[in-house]
C-alpha cells in the first residue's frame, strides 16, 4: 500500500461525509446534526483556525479517500465547556455551535496573539477511517505521522484527541501520548480505572498539555506527540497561500501535481515559487545561495534551491504552520538580531 495525503478541498466533503454517515459508531453520535456537517466543514476550511487532511491509497489525489482528519484551534472557553460535566460528543457540538454562529474557533488575530504568548488549544474534530481500511496499521501510522507533520511549529498549550469509538483506538491514543481526563479530580490520568468499553460508550476527553509533556520529557519518557510542543518563533513570514504550497511540496510533488492539489494553474504555482525565493533571499540568503552550485547547470540549480529550502522547512515547521507574519522590514531586523 502506498499512501499519500493532502489538505481537504470542498469537493472532498461529500465523500468524507459518507464515511462518517456510514461509520457504525461515529455516525450515530451526530444524529440530526449530520445534515449540517457539509456547511460547517466548508466554513472551517476557509478559516485559519481549521486544519484538514485526506489520505489516499496511492498518489492520485482523485483516488478514493481511505481516511480524513479535521482539527480546530479553539478558545479557552470551549475547552472549559468540554471539561465540565456533563460531557458531550465534540463533533456534533462543534457543528451545532458553528451553525448557530457561535463558533469557538479563534480568529486570525487571536491565533497570532495566543501563538506569541501563552499558546493555543487544538481540538481534533474528527478523524475517521474508511471501514475497509480500519484494520490496516500502516494507515494509522501514516495518519499519525501526517498529523505531527501538519501541526508542528505552533506554540501549543493543550491538545485534545478525537474521541475513541472502540477500546483498541482508546488504547492506541494512550500509547501515543494521550491521557484520559478525570472530571472528579479535574486532571488528566495516564491509567484507566474504568472498563475501556464503558469509557468509549459515552462522551470522554483524551488529551495532553504542554506542561504534562515537558514533565514526561524531563523524566526521559517523552511520547510520540512530544515533538508538537517543540516551538521556535518563525523568521520568514510566508503568506497563507505560500504556506499551503510549501506544505504540499514537502511531499516532493511536482509543480503540475501541486497545481492540481491546490486547485490553481501551473503558472500561478511557478509565480508563487518566485515570491517564496524572494522572501527567503531577503532574510536567509545563505539558505538558497550555495556558492558551490556555480558548476551546476541552470536547470539543476532550481531543483537544488528547492531541495535546500524544503530541507530547512522540515527542520523548522514553524515557518509554514503559523499565521504569524511580520512586515518585510521587521523580518529583516529580526534576522539581524539573530545574527
Amino acid at each position: 500500500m502506498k499512501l499519500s495525503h493532502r489538505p481537504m478541498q470542498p469537493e472532498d466533503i461529500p465523500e468524507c461525509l459518507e464515511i462518517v454517515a456510514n461509520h457504525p459508531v461515529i455516525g450515530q453520535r451526530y444524529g440530526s446534526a449530520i445534515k449540517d456537517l457539509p456547511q460547517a466543514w466548508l466554513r472551517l476550511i476557509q478559516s485559519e483556525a481549521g486544519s484538514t487532511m485526506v489520505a489516499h491509497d496511492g498518489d492520485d489525489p482523485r483516488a478514493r479517500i481511505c481516511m480524513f482528519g479535521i482539527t480546530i484551534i479553539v478558545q479557552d472557553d470551549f475547552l472549559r465547556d468540554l471539561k465540565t460535566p456533563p460531557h458531550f460528543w465534540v463533533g456534533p457540538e462543534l457543528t451545532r455551535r458553528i451553525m448557530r454562529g457561535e463558533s469557538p474557533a479563534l480568529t486570525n488575530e487571536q491565533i497570532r496573539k495566543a501563538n506569541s504568548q501563552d499558546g493555543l488549544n487544538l481540538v481534533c474534530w474528527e478523524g475517521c477511517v474508511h471501514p475497509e481500511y480500519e484494520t490496516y496499521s500502516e494507515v494509522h501510522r501514516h495518519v499519525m505521522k501526517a498529523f505531527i507533520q501538519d501541526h508542528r511549529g505552533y506554540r501549543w498549550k493543550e491538545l485534545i484527541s478525537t474521541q475513541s469509538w472502540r477500546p483498541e483506538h482508546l488504547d492506541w491514543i494512550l500509547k501515543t501520548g494521550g491521557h484520559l481526563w478525570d472530571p472528579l479530580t479535574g486532571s488528566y490520568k495516564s491509567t484507566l480505572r474504568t472498563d475501556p468499553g464503558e469509557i468509549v460508550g459515552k462522551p470522554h476527553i483524551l488529551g495532553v498539555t504542554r506542561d504534562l509533556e515537558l514533565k514526561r520529557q524531563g523524566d526521559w519518557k517523552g511520547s510520540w506527540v512530544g515533538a508538537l510542543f517543540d516551538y521556535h518563533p518563525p523568521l520568514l513570514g510566508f503568506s497563507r497561500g505560500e504556506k499551503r504550497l510549501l506544505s504540499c511540496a514537502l511531499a516532493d510533488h511536482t509543480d503540475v501535481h501541486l497545481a492540481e492539489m491546490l486547485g490553481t494553474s501551473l503558472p500561478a504555482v511557478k509565480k508563487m515559487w518566485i515570491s517564496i525565493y524572494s522572501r527567503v533571499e531577503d532574510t536567509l540568503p545563505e539558505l538558497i545561495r550555495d556558492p558551490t552550485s556555480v558548476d551546476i547547470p541552470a536547470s539543476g540549480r532550481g531543483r537544488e534551491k528547492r531541495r535546500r529550502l524544503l530541507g530547512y522547512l522540515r527542520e523548522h515547521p514553524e515557518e509554514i504552520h503559523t499565521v504569524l507574519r511580520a512586515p518585510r522590514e521587521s523580518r529583516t531586523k529580526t534576522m539581524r538580531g539573530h545574527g
Side-chain angles (χ1 to χ4, degrees), residues 13 42-43 45 54 68 108 120 125 196 228 290 305 307:
I13 290 178
L42 184 61
R43 294 182 188 181
I45 288 175
V54 294
F68 76 91
N108 297 357
L120 301 160
W125 179 328
L228 290 174
D290 183 4
K305 185 187 295 187
R307 186 192 68 79

Side-chain angles (χ1 to χ4, degrees), residues 75 105-115 120:
Q75 303 164 357
L106 264 62
T107 64
N108 297 357
E109 182 58 35
Q110 289 172 331
I111 294 175
R112 284 192 289 269
K113 183 177 180 180
N115 196 64
L120 301 160

Side-chain angles (χ1 to χ4, degrees), residues 8-21 26 30 33-47 49-54 65 68-72 90-92 94-96 98-99 124-128 240:
M8 179 187 290
Q9 302 297 325
E11 55 267 27
D12 297 320
I13 290 178
E15 188 174 352
C16 294
L17 178 66
E18 184 178 1
I19 293 175
V20 171
I26 298 176
Y30 277 88
I34 201 164
K35 70 180 187 302
D36 294 321
L37 262 182
Q39 187 60 37
W41 283 347
L42 184 61
R43 294 182 188 181
L44 189 67
I45 288 175
Q46 299 166 344
S47 165
S51 177
T52 62
M53 182 269 290
V54 294
I65 295 171
F68 76 91
I70 300 177
T71 62
I72 179 172
V90 172
L94 284 171
T95 304
R96 285 188 284 267
I98 289 176
M99 298 308 295
C124 294
W125 179 328
E126 210 63 82
C128 201
R240 185 183 184 191

Side-chain angles (χ1 to χ4, degrees), residues 47-323:
S47 165
E48 287 281 5
S51 177
T52 62
M53 182 269 290
V54 294
H56 298 275
D57 184 0
D59 289 328
D60 188 346
R62 295 164 297 185
R64 184 173 65 174
I65 295 171
C66 60
M67 186 275 174
F68 76 91
I70 300 177
T71 62
I72 179 172
I73 301 174
V74 300
Q75 303 164 357
D76 290 344
D77 287 347
F78 182 77
L79 226 58
R80 282 192 287 269
D81 290 348
L82 182 61
K83 292 179 175 179
T84 303
H87 298 316
F88 50 80
W89 297 117
V90 172
E93 182 64 19
L94 284 171
T95 304
R96 285 188 284 267
R97 293 196 186 198
I98 289 176
M99 298 308 295
R100 290 198 306 260
E102 302 171 0
S103 173
L106 264 62
T107 64
N108 297 357
E109 182 58 35
Q110 289 172 331
I111 294 175
R112 284 192 289 269
K113 183 177 180 180
N115 196 64
S116 61
Q117 296 180 356
D118 291 341
L120 301 160
N121 303 309
L122 183 73
V123 170
C124 294
W125 179 328
E126 210 63 82
C128 201
V129 181
H130 191 287
E132 292 185 20
Y133 294 89
E134 180 67 39
T135 60
Y136 287 74
S137 59
E138 55 264 51
V139 172
H140 296 277
R141 287 196 298 268
H142 181 90
V143 168
M144 188 63 169
K145 183 178 179 180
F147 174 81
I148 293 175
Q149 173 185 307
D150 291 347
H151 292 87
R152 283 181 62 202
Y154 291 90
R155 183 174 174 79
W156 296 119
K157 180 167 54 177
E158 187 163 355
L159 308 177
I160 303 296
S161 172
T162 52
Q163 292 167 311
S164 295
W165 57 88
R166 59 191 180 100
E168 293 82 0
H169 181 258
L170 172 63
D171 181 62
W172 182 73
I173 292 294
L174 295 174
K175 286 180 178 178
T176 53
H179 299 266
L180 181 67
W181 178 257
D182 183 354
L184 297 179
T185 62
S187 62
Y188 282 110
K189 303 294 182 182
S190 57
T191 55
L192 302 182
R193 298 179 181 176
T194 308
D195 177 70
E198 183 179 342
I199 292 174
V200 303
K202 55 187 178 182
H204 54 279
I205 302 165
L206 294 162
V208 62
T209 66
R210 181 171 62 214
D211 291 341
L212 274 174
E213 185 57 34
L214 291 177
K215 181 180 183 302
R216 183 156 49 189
Q217 292 175 4
D219 294 336
W220 299 96
K221 298 178 181 178
S223 71
W224 198 359
V225 298
L228 290 174
F229 293 96
D230 184 18
Y231 172 75
H232 303 281
L235 297 174
L236 297 170
F238 295 117
S239 70
R240 185 183 184 191
E242 290 166 349
K243 289 173 184 176
R244 289 186 66 216
L245 173 67
L246 290 167
S247 295
C248 295
L250 287 173
D252 296 322
H253 294 300
T254 65
D255 283 353
V256 173
H257 199 173
L258 290 173
E260 186 174 2
M261 294 173 72
L262 299 173
T264 188
S265 66
L266 181 58
V269 168
K270 293 184 180 297
K271 183 177 180 180
M272 202 175 301
W273 278 116
I274 293 173
S275 173
I276 287 170
Y277 292 138
S278 175
R279 197 181 297 278
V280 174
E281 287 206 28
D282 255 7
T283 306
L284 290 174
E286 68 278 9
L287 180 60
I288 55 177
R289 289 183 192 167
D290 183 4
T292 65
S293 66
V294 293
D295 296 328
I296 300 176
S299 60
R301 290 176 198 166
R303 289 193 295 272
E304 177 62 15
K305 185 187 295 187
R306 184 178 303 192
R307 186 192 68 79
R308 290 166 63 88
L309 174 58
L310 295 181
Y312 174 83
L313 295 178
R314 290 186 180 99
E315 296 299 320
H316 298 272
E318 66 275 2
E319 298 292 353
I320 53 176
H321 294 159
T322 67
V323 295

